[in-house]
Amino acid sequence: MEQLWGLLQRAQQLSPRSSQTVYQRVEGPQKGHLEEEEEDGEETLAHFCPMELKGPEPLGSRPRQPNLIPWAAAGRRAAPYLVLTALLIFTGAFLLGYVAFRGSCQTCGDSVLVVSEDVNYEPDLDFHRGTLYWSDLQAMFLQFLGEGRLEDTIRQTSLRERVAGSAGMAALTQDIRAALSRQKLDHVWTDTHYVGLQFPDPAHPNTLHWVDEAGKVGEQLPLEDPDVYCPYSAIGNVTGELVYAHYGRPEDLQDLRARGVDPAGRLLLVRVGVISFAQKVTNAQDFGAQGVLIYPEPADFSQDPHKPSLSSQQAVYGHVHLGTGDPYTPGFPSFNQTQFPPVASSGLPSIPAQPITADIASRLLRKLKGPVAPQEWQGSLLGSPYHLGPGPGLRLAVNNHRTSTPINNIFGCIEGRSEPDHYVVIGAQRDAWGPGAAKSAVGTAILLELVRTFSSMVSNGFRPRRSLLFISWDGGDFGSVGSTEWLEGYLSVLHLKAVVYVSLDNAVLGDDKFHAKTSPLLTSLIESVLKQVDSPNHSGQTLYEQVVFTNPSWDAEVIRPLPMDSSAYSFTAFVGVPAVEFSFVEDDQAYPFLHTKEDTYENLHKVLQGRLPAVAQAVAQLAGQLLIRLSHDRLLPLDFGRYGDVVLRHIGNLNEFSGDLKARGLTLQWVYSARGDYIRAAEKLRQEIYSSEERDERLTRMYNVRIMRPAPHLQFQLLLFLAFPHSKNSTPQPFDLKKWVEFYFLSQYVSPADSPFRHIFMGRGDHTLGALLDHLRLLRSNSSGTPGATSSAVFQESRFRRQLALLTWTLQGAANALSGDVWNIDNNF
């Protein structure tokens, strides 16, 4: 370009001088415009600036220019093409520079979308290492995580007394808070709740006696360990004949009735496992039983002689409240000085329950007569088959007492850089009835290690986009009391700001299989993270490769529903926050020492045959990489489309009852229409988002608002944005609100105080799909025609219509929320 420009200058020097038109800035009233000016002689350099073009001058007003020499004239003709070429080169260079700048800009972090390991993460403004990629964050996390001492922390924690409300727990609380305070956290604090907990009465221990045919109390059966009990059992004495009821499931009790053995008025002997203690007792109560005895069946645990097994003199601890939190303040937080209404949870049983050992169960089973139990009900305690009973009479006395007990949750927070008011929460139970190595020591150790690891990353310049909230829960062994009370106390805040909850409870119960008990929204993210973590017991394989090696359908092998006894359950079923709990388990065998005095570090180490450190490290890697994605991705990696598959699967179960309902003049068409609306709305929104420009903030806001129900303050921010889209006071960040899809499945048509678990798929109550299915099954049971059958055992058309309406309109509401504006919604079925 310089050579060509010089050529033009020399050509002009050889040609006769002529007057030239230049543009100069006009000062004064005409500032901002340019005027033409005649100039002879020297060339004048004109700056690029806004100009006002003049019309052509009249003929004769300017001197005629002489003809240029031929090669100079050629240069003049080539000038426009040269300028055009320069502009093209400049435009191409600008675009290339923009693409390169886009990936390394230190001041545009909020516009960087992290979706894969090939896309860079947003660095903090003062981060000294420069741009961080996903591989960099992984390497940094694994480097600091590898410096921890997980195994030592598990061992030391399991040696400490930490029953909720005990002096040992108070000391551990102080130690853990001090450990958090030593890390680079922005906030550390403790929340205290005063809750009603139930404990054995040392002066009046629980007892079990034989009763003869005349009703006289006879020999006492030793319970062997009076410390083992069922918190929240009904108090009192009951007497009845003994009946063996397998696991105490509804189908087990129905099978008993079908075989001529009625559970009503009797004491039931049931095995540990399959369902929770609370469900066993509730089912027994529903069938009219007087009380429940729960024992560990050796046949349900591993028979490997190289692995330790539970002693036959050990009973298993477990609460029997069918719910979570303090059952004496349902729906209300148990803060001090709170005035509670005089009401107890509907999940408290009205019949007593007591754990017993396998030795005592063996003595009871030998006394049973009646029909032989089905083959799948048989166990290994006797040399002969188990019988169903009835057997001799028993008298059970339960004398537990309730105590108002302070419990303390411990919190540590790393504030987010861009969205500090959005919380990614990770928690672990701290308390334990016994040593609790597997129950809570592993989770506590992993939690502390993750706090230390992320603190080290922060010290090295890392800062997450969203806040990380680390919590150590108290009162977990009594039914997730600490976590539920916290949720009840801050419900209006948490259902707006909590993004996801990750539970570390029961994380290591074996090493053969990996399970993720979770909400469907997290399934795709879990799949992605599994591909990044090495298997702890299959060298050279990731966890994902280990899973698909045995079952190509990885989610069928890994994904499980959230159980009520998990702290993660309340986050989803009560608050509407997606949650996950990871567990490594034994292959088709339960960990035998859970909730017993033998849940020690030594036994856990023996069960895993020395692989405890590797398995705990794998859980820490899973949780940590999940936290990085959830706290740092610009858009939350939650797959709301997954619920379309869930809706199809669950509501497809209703099809088998269509004929029975049609015969009664009833139909399921309403819920089918709502199902179709949700699936179409979810798929349409997914396609719009995936086909849109990911960096378009206006589209991002619009789509995210359709994925959530904005809270009042978010609605106000949205109005500001729509009215003043370029104002500094408008919404500063895009709404990352896919988490609200979970919220939409909380039924708005039932009271949170009466039915706290309002989730129509995961909750409990008449509003759920499960309750509707159970009701429809009565259409085919004999109870509908049985004289004297209870109302709950008979199909009722009015109840069915109400259940159908609750389910339909909750599902339709979720579809409407995803559909967008009201003019795009049609609620006519």
Side-chain angles (χ1 to χ4, degrees):
M1 292 293 296
E2 293 179 356
Q3 293 177 349
L4 290 173
W5 181 249
L7 179 64
L8 288 174
Q9 286 182 320
R10 286 194 297 273
Q12 291 177 358
Q13 291 171 359
L14 294 174
S15 65
R17 301 268 177 121
S18 63
S19 63
Q20 299 177 357
T21 301
V22 298
Y23 293 93
Q24 293 184 338
R25 187 178 299 276
V26 177
E27 302 294 330
Q30 300 300 320
K31 184 176 182 179
H33 295 280
L34 301 177
E35 66 177 10
E36 294 182 359
E37 192 177 88
E38 296 294 329
E39 182 182 80
D40 292 325
E42 295 183 26
E43 260 184 309
T44 302
L45 180 63
H47 296 282
F48 288 105
C49 54
M51 61 182 66
E52 181 181 0
L53 298 178
K54 303 284 187 179
E57 296 190 11
L59 292 174
S61 63
R62 300 173 65 93
R64 185 183 178 189
Q65 297 182 1
N67 292 331
L68 299 175
I69 60 177
W71 59 277
R76 289 276 186 171
R77 288 193 298 270
Y81 298 102
L82 295 174
V83 171
L84 180 61
T85 302
L87 286 174
L88 290 175
I89 293 173
F90 173 81
T91 302
F94 175 82
L95 291 176
L96 288 174
Y98 170 76
V99 172
F101 177 78
R102 173 184 185 179
S104 59
C105 177
Q106 298 292 312
T107 61
C108 60
D110 291 342
S111 64
V112 179
L113 174 63
V114 182
V115 294
S116 72
E117 62 183 32
D118 298 325
V119 182
N120 62 293
Y121 266 81
E122 316 158 35
D124 203 17
L125 293 178
D126 60 351
F127 186 63
H128 60 273
R129 291 180 56 187
T131 303
L132 275 178
Y133 292 85
W134 170 240
S135 56
D136 298 325
L137 281 177
Q138 278 184 311
M140 180 189 290
F141 172 75
L142 294 176
Q143 173 190 348
F144 291 121
L145 182 68
E147 297 173 357
R149 298 185 300 172
L150 277 171
E151 190 174 15
D152 288 343
T153 308
I154 296 171
R155 180 191 295 109
Q156 295 300 323
T157 305
S158 66
L159 292 175
R160 302 186 64 164
E161 179 200 8
R162 54 190 194 284
V163 176
S166 67
M169 171 56 85
L172 180 61
T173 299
Q174 293 179 357
D175 291 345
I176 289 183
R177 175 164 181 166
L180 296 187
S181 299
R182 288 192 295 269
Q183 303 301 324
K184 194 174 180 61
L185 302 178
D186 296 302
H187 309 282
V188 176
W189 74 100
T190 302
D191 229 358
T192 302
H193 300 266
Y194 292 81
V195 298
L197 303 182
Q198 201 183 70
F199 297 97
D201 185 349
H204 302 89
N206 301 340
T207 59
L208 184 65
H209 290 80
W210 293 113
V211 175
D212 62 21
E213 295 180 357
K216 183 179 178 180
V217 177
E219 175 191 359
Q220 179 176 345
L221 289 161
L223 293 179
E224 298 184 326
D225 190 347
D227 294 335
V228 185
Y229 71 111
C230 288
Y232 305 125
S233 165
I235 308 303
N237 305 325
V238 293
T239 302
E241 296 177 317
L242 185 67
V243 168
Y244 173 53
H246 202 211
Y247 291 111
R249 299 168 296 183
E251 56 266 35
D252 296 330
L253 302 179
Q254 289 167 358
D255 199 357
L256 270 178
R257 272 185 177 167
R259 295 173 185 272
V261 182
D262 194 348
R266 288 166 169 157
L267 290 178
L268 302 188
L269 178 64
V270 300
R271 293 153 72 149
V272 171
V274 180
I275 59 175
S276 69
F277 278 33
Q279 290 172 301
K280 297 175 192 293
V281 176
T282 298
N283 295 335
Q285 178 179 303
D286 291 343
F287 278 77
Q290 291 281 80
V292 182
L293 301 173
I294 307 172
Y295 80 99
E297 170 59 55
D300 291 334
F301 304 113
S302 175
Q303 305 301 307
D304 187 345
H306 301 291
K307 292 185 177 182
S309 59
L310 183 67
S311 166
S312 61
Q313 287 84 39
Q314 286 290 330
V316 179
Y317 166 100
H319 76 89
V320 292
H321 171 219
L322 191 65
T324 63
D326 183 354
Y328 305 108
T329 60
F332 296 89
S334 298
F335 289 114
N336 199 16
Q337 307 303 323
T338 302
Q339 298 300 312
F340 303 120
V343 65
S345 168
S346 60
L348 285 174
S350 60
I351 61 175
Q354 175 66 32
I356 62 173
T357 67
D359 278 352
I360 297 300
S362 177
R363 293 180 61 180
L364 297 177
L365 286 166
R366 287 192 177 93
K367 298 287 186 178
L368 292 181
K369 302 188 184 298
V372 173
Q375 182 59 41
E376 60 271 19
W377 289 30
Q378 296 298 323
S380 59
L381 283 176
L382 305 179
S384 57
Y386 291 8
H387 288 254
L388 299 177
L394 289 170
R395 180 179 182 270
L396 173 63
V398 173
N399 301 308
N400 305 334
H401 65 97
R402 187 178 98 189
T403 302
S404 179
T405 306
I407 62 171
N408 298 282
N409 299 323
I410 310 169
F411 302 82
C413 176
I414 297 174
E415 278 198 32
R417 174 175 50 82
S418 303
E419 302 175 44
D421 60 341
H422 286 166
Y423 315 145
V424 178
V425 187
I426 182 165
Q429 175 182 327
R430 183 173 74 258
D431 67 300
W433 173 81
K439 177 60 181 176
S440 62
V442 169
T444 297
I446 295 174
L447 179 72
L448 293 175
E449 182 63 17
L450 288 173
V451 170
R452 191 196 59 76
T453 300
F454 278 95
S455 175
S456 299
M457 294 173 68
V458 169
S459 297
N460 281 267
F462 168 76
R463 176 64 69 168
R465 180 186 182 91
R466 301 175 188 89
S467 295
L468 285 169
L469 194 54
F470 303 92
I471 310 179
S472 175
W473 303 116
D474 200 352
D477 263 359
F478 291 84
S480 302
V481 175
S483 58
T484 303
E485 294 307 309
W486 184 67
L487 291 174
E488 290 176 342
Y490 301 96
L491 179 62
S492 59
V493 174
L494 294 173
H495 76 66
L496 300 176
K497 297 186 176 183
V499 173
V500 168
Y501 176 66
V502 179
S503 170
L504 298 173
D505 298 338
N506 305 309
V508 180
L509 303 176
D511 67 343
D512 292 326
K513 289 188 174 182
F514 173 77
H515 290 161
K517 292 162 274 190
T518 187
S519 160
L521 289 176
L522 292 167
T523 303
S524 295
L525 177 59
I526 292 170
E527 178 182 10
S528 174
V529 173
L530 286 177
K531 296 176 180 179
Q532 307 291 328
V533 177
D534 291 336
S535 168
N537 54 1
H538 289 75
S539 179
Q541 285 187 332
T542 65
L543 275 174
Y544 182 82
E545 291 169 341
Q546 174 187 333
V547 169
V548 297
F549 181 79
T550 56
N551 188 348
S553 179
W554 80 272
D555 50 349
E557 182 75 12
V558 170
I559 302 301
R560 297 289 185 274
L562 281 168
M564 184 180 286
D565 57 0
S566 166
S567 62
Y569 179 82
S570 292
F571 274 84
T572 299
F574 177 51
V575 186
V577 173
V580 60
E581 179 177 289
F582 299 124
S583 292
F584 280 92
V585 298
E586 290 292 280
D587 190 5
D588 299 325
Q589 296 290 337
Y591 176 70
F593 306 115
L594 202 63
H595 292 124
T596 74
K597 290 184 176 180
E598 295 185 1
D599 183 14
T600 62
Y601 165 81
E602 290 75 19
N603 277 334
L604 180 60
H605 197 276
K606 289 176 183 176
V607 168
L608 272 70
Q609 299 179 336
R611 290 192 293 270
L612 174 58
V615 179
Q617 184 88 350
V619 175
Q621 290 183 25
L622 276 166
Q625 296 195 42
L626 199 74
L627 292 181
I628 293 173
R629 291 292 309 276
L630 289 167
S631 67
H632 219 297
D633 280 11
R634 175 174 168 266
L635 292 178
L636 286 169
L638 304 179
D639 188 356
F640 64 88
R642 283 276 185 170
Y643 257 117
D645 301 331
V646 173
V647 171
L648 277 175
R649 183 174 69 253
H650 282 299
I651 296 186
N653 296 330
L654 299 174
N655 291 336
E656 62 176 295
F657 301 102
S658 297
D660 302 273
L661 291 172
K662 187 175 181 180
R664 292 172 173 256
L666 302 172
T667 179
L668 292 167
Q669 185 57 43
W670 288 359
V671 74
Y672 291 152
S673 296
R675 174 197 66 184
D677 286 348
Y678 176 83
I679 293 172
R680 285 188 294 271
E683 182 58 29
K684 180 182 177 183
L685 183 56
R686 184 209 293 269
Q687 293 299 326
E688 289 179 6
I689 291 175
Y690 287 171
S691 62
S692 66
E693 170 54 52
E694 66 187 30
R695 302 173 65 84
D696 189 322
E697 294 293 326
R698 186 182 294 270
L699 281 178
T700 299
R701 288 181 175 89
M702 182 187 71
Y703 290 139
N704 281 325
V705 168
R706 287 169 59 183
I707 297 173
M708 71 163 289
R709 177 185 70 93
H713 75 284
L714 295 178
Q715 292 174 347
F716 179 69
Q717 289 182 8
L718 180 61
L719 288 174
L720 285 177
F721 169 73
L722 294 175
F724 309 104
H726 303 295
S727 169
K728 292 182 179 180
N729 294 323
S730 62
T731 306
Q733 301 293 340
F735 289 114
D736 272 337
L737 301 168
K738 295 180 182 179
K739 64 189 178 70
W740 282 92
V741 173
E742 200 78 72
F743 176 84
Y744 291 133
F745 291 115
L746 301 184
S747 179
Q748 304 176 46
Y749 307 101
V750 295
S751 165
D754 297 332
S755 301
F757 304 122
R758 294 179 292 148
H759 202 289
I760 59 174
F761 297 123
M762 302 182 192
R764 295 190 66 86
D766 234 27
H767 60 284
T768 63
L769 178 61
L772 177 61
L773 283 168
D774 289 340
H775 191 195
L776 288 174
R777 292 187 182 101
L778 295 177
L779 288 169
R780 300 181 180 179
S781 70
N782 295 327
S783 60
S784 58
T786 302
T790 62
S791 60
S792 61
V794 179
F795 180 83
Q796 302 172 54
E797 182 176 327
S798 59
R799 180 188 172 205
F800 164 77
R801 289 183 180 276
R802 182 177 184 276
Q803 287 179 304
L804 189 64
L806 290 173
L807 179 65
T808 298
W809 280 108
T810 302
L811 188 57
Q812 187 65 45
N816 292 347
L818 295 183
S819 295
D821 298 304
V822 292
W823 49 82
N824 293 326
I825 301 171
D826 182 7
N827 278 332
N828 294 317
F829 296 119

